[in-house]
Structures are given as structure tokens and as C-alpha cells.
């Protein structure tokens, strides 16, 4: 990995020797039947700050729990 950008805000995330030094989520969705995007695959990256903004817009609460072991 050389460069990683947040698709929401455009921020370049820190990468050192190919290792990301900031956390992010990468979403890859292949749309199927009953979708307006049938046959399309989308992939995007969202930085932690943008995820927090998105969480603030949720109508229903999301699940959150402590991870005991991290790999």
C-alpha cells in the first residue's frame, strides 16, 4: 500500500513503508438483483473521522462491543 485516501473527505491517510498508520474501513459491495446497481461493484475507503460523522446520522443505534483479542 503506497497511498490511501478517504473517499468521503479526501484526506490522505498516513502510510509508512506500506503499513497504514491510521485506521479506516474499506467497503466493497457487489450489487445484485433487486438493486438499481445490479452487476456493479463499488469499493471505497472511509477514515475514522468520517465514520464518526456517519454514525451521528444513523436513525437506529448500531451494535458496539469491546474486542477482547486483536490480531
Amino acid at each position: 500500500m503506497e497511498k490511501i485516501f478517504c473517499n468521503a473527505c479526501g484526506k490522505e491517510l498516513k502510510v509508512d513503508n506500506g503499513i497504514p498508520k491510521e485506521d479506516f474501513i474499506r467497503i466493497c459491495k457487489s450489487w445484485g438483483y433487486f438493486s438499481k446497481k445490479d452487476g456493479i461493484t463499488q469499493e471505497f475507503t472511509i477514515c475514522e473521522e468520517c465514520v464518526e460523522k456517519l454514525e451521528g446520522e444513523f436513525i437506529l443505534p448500531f451494535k458496539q462491543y469491546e474486542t477482547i483479542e486483536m490480531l
Side-chain angles (χ1 to χ4, degrees):
M1 254 181 225
E2 290 184 21
K3 291 188 178 191
I4 304 170
F5 292 92
C6 175
N7 287 95
C9 70
K11 172 184 170 185
E12 182 176 356
L13 297 139
K14 293 177 186 150
V15 177
D16 186 18
N17 292 324
I19 300 169
K21 297 295 183 177
E22 292 184 65
D23 216 348
F24 58 90
I25 62 171
R26 179 159 290 145
I27 298 170
C28 182
K29 171 64 178 160
S30 295
W31 296 94
Y33 297 120
F34 312 111
S35 166
K36 294 177 186 174
K37 299 177 182 183
D38 185 18
I40 295 173
T41 298
Q42 293 179 312
E43 184 175 340
F44 52 91
T45 300
I46 305 177
C47 70
E48 188 172 1
E49 291 83 13
C50 288
V51 168
E52 290 175 353
K53 289 177 191 175
L54 183 61
E55 291 169 347
E57 296 179 17
F58 287 178
I59 304 283
L60 299 174
F62 53 89
K63 288 185 179 182
Q64 180 170 307
Y65 47 91
E66 187 175 345
T67 303
I68 297 169
E69 281 190 42
M70 296 179 72
L71 300 175

